[in-house]
Amino acid sequence: MAFRLSCIGLAVISSISANAVFADDAVSADSIERISVMGYTFNDYKVSNATGAMRGDIDLLDTPQSVTVIPDFVTDEQLARNLAEVLSNDSSVTAGSEKWNRQQFSIRGFALDSGNGFLVNGHQHWSHYVQPIETLEQVEVLKGPSSMLYGQSGPGGLVNMVTKKPTYDSLFTLGLDTDEYGSTRFQMDAGGAVNDAGTVRYRTMLVKQDTTYWTEYHNGDNKERDRLLTFLALDIDLTDDMTLSLKYDNTADNAGLDSGAWLYKSADKRGQLIGDNNKIWELPWAFIDINVQNIGADLQWHINDNWKMKTGYNQQMYERQRFGSSPTYTETPYETGYKVRPFDRHDDWQYKTAYMDFIGNFSTVSLDHQFLIGGNFLDYYYQQQAEYGQWTTVMPGQVIDPNVNYHNVAPKPASEYHHYGFYIQDLVSLTENWKALAGVRYDEQKKEGNGNNAYALSPKFGVIYEPTDYGSIYVNYSKSFMPQGAVNNIEDANHKMNLKPEYGTQYEIGTKWELFDGGLLMTAALFDITVENRVITQDLANPVGDVNKITTQDGEQNHKGFEMGAQGQLTDSVFITGSMMYLDAKYEHDPELDGLTPIDAPKWSANIWTRYEVTEQLALNLGAQYVGERYASADATLGNAIVKDAFIRVDMGAAYTWDLQGTEMNLRLNVKNLFDTDYIDGGSYKEVTIGQGRNISLALEAKF
């Protein structure tokens, strides 16, 4: 499996990494910055602010919105290898399908869109692949509509991934982890100052991962994955008040293809798995090859004591070859076979984003302001080239020659659009105990073709009452929008009709408290989200000629519930992070879906992860995840008939740290799914993900 990587990127990373190893002897061991992965001396379970929630470093107690911050310290303890394992630390996030090696999620029951549901350092990020997590300092889950700050996005929320920063002090870490299937992951992390003055700093990472999955094709071959990740970040102090940050990363990811497992839909076996739980319906030659590069620059200028300016640009270049077999769902694959259709497809996405923010902290009369005004821009480009073969019926284990090559077919016309928005927000301290937030955003999307231009206003209001310095109570009103384009079906009575954006409106009331001398953050929130202008297409009662359908926007969707969370230190030796959510999610005013619950929207979900420090060198971990009953179907034919059972998965771990001739060594043993629980994870009955059984992992890390 071949990797494509910028030679320049490798050369720069290698040279800077070598600089870290042979750092000046004048830098003592005591001055080395400890970015702890398995050390146990800091309260790194609790984070006090989220950069993405308010587009600035505003304390979570002053943020009138539910936000969960998952630090890398916790996910390193868990030996997390992908974003799904990171987000399992927030019960408001539900795993969806992993079809075609993509990880999909819902927040508060609303699906996250791969085009606008994910951010990296506040930039919109095309997330059509398994996200690399080794470069992340923390992951922020912003709950509810966030269109006021980020433009088009779903009503459930956003995921903002914050990358690691360059360091002043020298840092060099090597790590290796493996599991019982023989998978390996090698990591190198280096950072420090390039010059004596410390005005140029760097952070570089290299990750090589070779994964053997527990699932296998019907010929007995295991699914495999090879991944190479390179990352380089530079901070350059242009003046005492101005810093330029540069970032480059490249992900080369090649893996066998898996389109998901199947569940029976017939009444006598409904919801049961078809075939063995470790079998893949794709043919064994199917694969996906992804190469993603991000090149970005950010500039921060402290204009004076009251104002600063932040601006940035990022270009994401995403290329994917998907060579698949298109297995078609059937309940009788072992009796009658199932249909496959070979295809070879190449996709090219280009994502260019830019922003500029002015942030002010000032007073007028007796009011203190935390003020934001800015704008952001997105330029989207996509082109596809694909060849498809003939449909063929095969029996499980039978292999056919794909005989397709996307180079044989001319590319389809490219799709492009431009999106920009302007926003203004003010967090005002009215009195010692009361604060108010008000903001509004204007957006435009421009795209060639009928019905593809969209305009929207997105307001946001909040009130915060702080009875003490360590607690707050807030109410929140916010909106989201998603452009819908136009009806494109000559058999539809409303063919070429411009569709209005889909709007989401949220009302939320919540509270946040810092307890145990600020060591533990407790949160709770009640929310009610309604989506309007949902697109509905139904058959005409009285067709006229070829016109037999009609599309309207009369549909609605309502999700309401409550959440609770805790992060931090309970005692000198006990640390905890956990959450729970109750959710009541329904489609409304829909002739086919009215009263149904969306797929993968459980009523109850919860998670917990704990650490107990036995000694300064030994620590134990115990965690659990509960996901309630979910539906694997939500359509006019089956309704919510197919149910996935609730499950509890228990994980545990232990870590030991010691000094080896001045080098800090960390050894970690983790057991995921300790009791080998059988469970069905996200996805519909045609593409469901099967939970992995017990898996033992071992990791060794050295900090120089």
Side-chain angles (χ1 to χ4, degrees):
M1 296 184 179
F3 288 110
R4 292 166 290 174
L5 182 66
S6 165
C7 294
I8 295 175
L10 267 178
V12 172
I13 289 171
S14 300
S15 63
I16 293 180
S17 300
N19 192 35
V21 179
F22 302 105
D24 189 350
D25 292 338
V27 180
S28 68
D30 293 336
S31 68
I32 295 177
E33 181 184 9
R34 296 296 183 182
I35 306 299
S36 183
V37 175
M38 297 175 193
Y40 297 95
T41 56
F42 304 100
N43 182 13
D44 287 331
Y45 273 43
K46 174 180 172 287
V47 181
S48 298
N49 58 59
T51 58
M54 303 279 283
R55 294 191 75 99
D57 296 324
I58 296 179
D59 195 284
L60 287 178
L61 292 183
D62 293 334
T63 303
Q65 180 179 0
S66 181
V67 181
T68 296
V69 182
I70 306 166
D72 65 334
F73 187 88
V74 171
T75 54
D76 284 340
E77 277 192 337
Q78 297 168 345
L79 293 183
R81 293 191 172 191
N82 54 59
L83 189 59
E85 294 179 355
V86 174
L87 293 176
S88 66
N89 289 284
D90 184 353
S91 59
S92 71
V93 181
T94 308
S97 169
E98 294 191 3
K99 181 178 181 179
W100 294 334
N101 293 54
R102 279 178 55 203
Q103 294 183 318
Q104 302 179 60
F105 308 96
S106 296
I107 299 181
R108 291 180 171 176
F110 292 101
L112 279 177
D113 187 274
S114 60
N116 55 51
F118 298 85
L119 311 168
V120 173
N121 298 329
H123 289 275
Q124 280 190 318
H125 181 77
W126 186 251
S127 186
H128 231 51
Y129 64 111
V130 178
Q131 292 297 312
I133 64 168
E134 293 85 0
T135 63
L136 302 182
E137 178 180 283
Q138 63 188 44
V139 175
E140 303 168 354
V141 184
L142 319 180
K143 320 290 183 65
S146 296
S147 286
M148 200 287 290
L149 291 178
Y150 294 105
Q152 56 176 321
S153 58
L158 293 168
V159 172
N160 183 40
M161 295 171 278
V162 181
T163 58
K164 294 178 179 178
K165 305 297 189 292
T167 60
Y168 284 92
D169 296 323
S170 294
L171 162 73
F172 189 76
T173 301
L174 294 176
L176 175 68
D177 59 77
T178 185
D179 67 12
E180 61 183 277
Y181 298 103
S183 303
T184 59
R185 181 176 58 167
F186 168 82
Q187 300 183 65
M188 182 207 72
D189 184 4
V194 175
N195 58 355
D196 292 338
T199 57
V200 181
R201 304 168 298 280
Y202 77 95
R203 188 73 174 267
T204 182
M205 297 191 70
L206 177 68
V207 179
K208 179 64 171 72
Q209 181 179 5
D210 297 293
T211 303
T212 300
Y213 288 83
W214 68 287
T215 52
E216 61 181 33
Y217 300 95
H218 278 86
N219 69 347
D221 292 344
N222 284 91
K223 175 186 169 183
E224 295 182 348
R225 178 189 182 203
D226 295 337
R227 180 173 66 105
L228 181 64
L229 167 67
T230 54
F231 171 85
L232 173 64
L234 291 173
D235 278 355
I236 305 169
D237 293 336
L238 303 178
T239 70
D240 290 342
D241 301 314
M242 187 178 298
T243 299
L244 174 66
S245 299
L246 305 175
K247 184 176 77 73
Y248 169 84
D249 65 75
N250 178 270
T251 299
D253 198 344
N254 187 300
L257 208 57
D258 184 357
S259 56
W262 298 338
L263 303 179
Y264 284 103
K265 63 180 180 179
S266 54
D268 58 331
K269 296 182 179 179
R270 186 168 291 161
Q272 298 179 36
L273 186 66
I274 299 174
D276 296 333
N277 67 349
N278 68 333
K279 294 300 182 183
I280 300 172
W281 296 108
E282 292 275 0
L283 297 187
W285 42 254
F287 71 87
I288 187 167
D289 188 7
I290 293 172
N291 188 272
V292 186
Q293 294 187 72
N294 286 280
I295 301 174
D298 292 88
L299 180 69
Q300 183 166 294
W301 176 28
H302 288 268
I303 302 171
N304 54 42
D305 291 341
N306 296 327
W307 286 93
K308 68 179 177 180
M309 184 269 287
K310 296 171 66 177
T311 185
Y313 171 84
N314 189 81
Q315 181 173 353
Q316 184 181 17
M317 295 157 285
Y318 175 110
E319 286 190 75
R320 177 185 72 184
Q321 182 186 6
R322 195 165 72 201
F323 196 88
S325 58
S326 309
T328 301
Y329 173 87
T330 177
E331 290 190 284
T332 58
Y334 292 97
E335 293 78 27
T336 62
Y338 63 100
K339 290 184 178 180
V340 295
R341 185 189 189 190
F343 70 90
D344 187 17
R345 172 175 162 177
H346 179 268
D347 300 281
D348 179 13
W349 280 279
Q350 306 286 331
Y351 236 54
K352 299 176 184 177
T353 59
Y355 75 94
M356 179 176 286
D357 290 346
F358 288 90
I359 303 167
N361 289 273
F362 56 89
S363 299
T364 57
V365 193
S366 60
L367 303 179
D368 294 329
H369 300 263
Q370 292 173 283
F371 187 79
L372 168 70
I373 184 169
N376 61 349
F377 171 83
L378 167 67
D379 180 275
Y380 170 93
Y381 170 91
Y382 170 66
Q383 190 169 51
Q384 181 191 127
Q385 191 174 0
E387 182 180 36
Y388 294 84
Q390 300 297 317
W391 286 105
T392 304
T393 299
V394 298
M395 298 299 294
Q398 181 182 350
V399 180
I400 63 171
D401 183 5
N403 195 28
V404 287
N405 189 323
Y406 74 85
H407 292 289
N408 296 332
V409 180
K412 294 182 178 181
S415 173
E416 299 181 71
Y417 71 82
H418 307 287
H419 186 107
Y420 59 88
F422 303 95
Y423 42 87
I424 184 171
Q425 174 182 273
D426 195 9
L427 177 63
V428 185
S429 298
L430 303 174
T431 68
E432 186 177 345
N433 303 107
W434 289 91
K435 296 182 180 180
L437 173 78
V440 66
R441 177 190 178 99
Y442 172 75
D443 278 280
E444 286 193 15
Q445 177 176 293
K446 300 289 187 181
K447 183 179 180 181
E448 292 185 6
N450 184 56
N452 290 312
N453 294 334
Y455 312 88
L457 277 176
S458 303
K460 182 177 182 178
F461 302 101
V463 177
I464 307 169
Y465 173 59
E466 297 182 347
T468 71
D469 291 337
Y470 50 84
S472 66
I473 302 167
Y474 68 89
V475 293
N476 170 295
Y477 165 84
S478 56
K479 294 195 72 171
S480 67
F481 83 98
M482 286 278 287
Q484 299 299 305
V487 180
N488 186 23
N489 184 354
I490 60 174
E491 297 180 352
D492 197 295
N494 286 326
H495 177 51
K496 293 188 176 181
M497 180 183 74
N498 295 338
L499 295 171
K500 296 179 287 186
E502 186 179 87
Y503 290 103
T505 303
Q506 173 183 266
Y507 297 91
E508 178 178 293
I509 180 170
T511 185
K512 304 174 185 181
W513 293 85
E514 290 186 332
L515 307 177
F516 300 105
D517 294 325
L520 181 71
L521 176 65
M522 299 284 293
T523 63
L526 288 163
F527 59 88
D528 190 317
I529 307 172
T530 299
V531 173
E532 301 173 293
N533 296 340
R534 278 193 61 253
V535 177
I536 298 173
T537 300
Q538 53 188 316
D539 295 331
L540 282 174
N542 299 302
V544 180
D546 293 333
V547 178
N548 52 39
K549 299 181 182 298
I550 185 169
T551 296
T552 62
Q553 290 187 272
D554 298 329
E556 292 187 3
Q557 194 171 341
N558 179 256
H559 293 201
K560 53 180 174 285
F562 67 85
E563 302 169 350
M564 296 180 65
Q567 280 187 320
Q569 187 171 7
L570 294 178
T571 70
D572 289 342
S573 57
V574 178
F575 300 79
I576 183 174
T577 178
S579 63
M580 62 81 61
M581 180 180 71
Y582 168 79
L583 178 66
D584 180 15
K586 301 291 183 185
Y587 293 109
E588 297 178 345
H589 307 300
D590 188 313
E592 295 184 343
L593 304 181
D594 192 56
L596 296 181
T597 295
I599 292 172
D600 289 323
K603 276 194 176 298
W604 293 97
S605 54
N607 70 280
I608 189 171
W609 179 259
T610 62
R611 180 177 87 234
Y612 172 59
E613 296 180 355
V614 182
T615 68
E616 291 184 358
Q617 293 178 294
L618 176 65
L620 304 177
N621 298 98
L622 184 65
Q625 181 185 17
Y626 170 78
V627 180
E629 281 190 352
R630 296 136 293 141
Y631 296 112
S633 63
D635 55 47
T637 303
L638 290 169
N640 284 148
I642 303 179
V643 178
K644 295 183 287 190
D645 290 337
F647 69 87
I648 299 177
R649 193 195 74 197
V650 177
D651 303 328
M652 69 173 296
Y656 184 74
T657 182
W658 74 98
D659 182 84
L660 180 63
Q661 296 182 346
T663 299
E664 181 184 334
M665 304 294 295
N666 294 291
L667 180 67
R668 166 163 285 280
L669 175 70
N670 276 21
V671 183
K672 295 182 179 180
N673 197 357
L674 177 64
F675 300 114
D676 201 21
T677 301
D678 293 327
Y679 66 95
I680 297 174
D681 213 343
S684 76
Y685 68 96
K686 296 181 180 180
E687 53 185 37
V688 74
T689 300
I690 305 301
Q692 185 178 9
R694 183 189 299 115
N695 186 22
I696 301 174
S697 300
L698 185 68
L700 178 65
E701 180 191 64
K703 295 182 179 182
F704 299 92

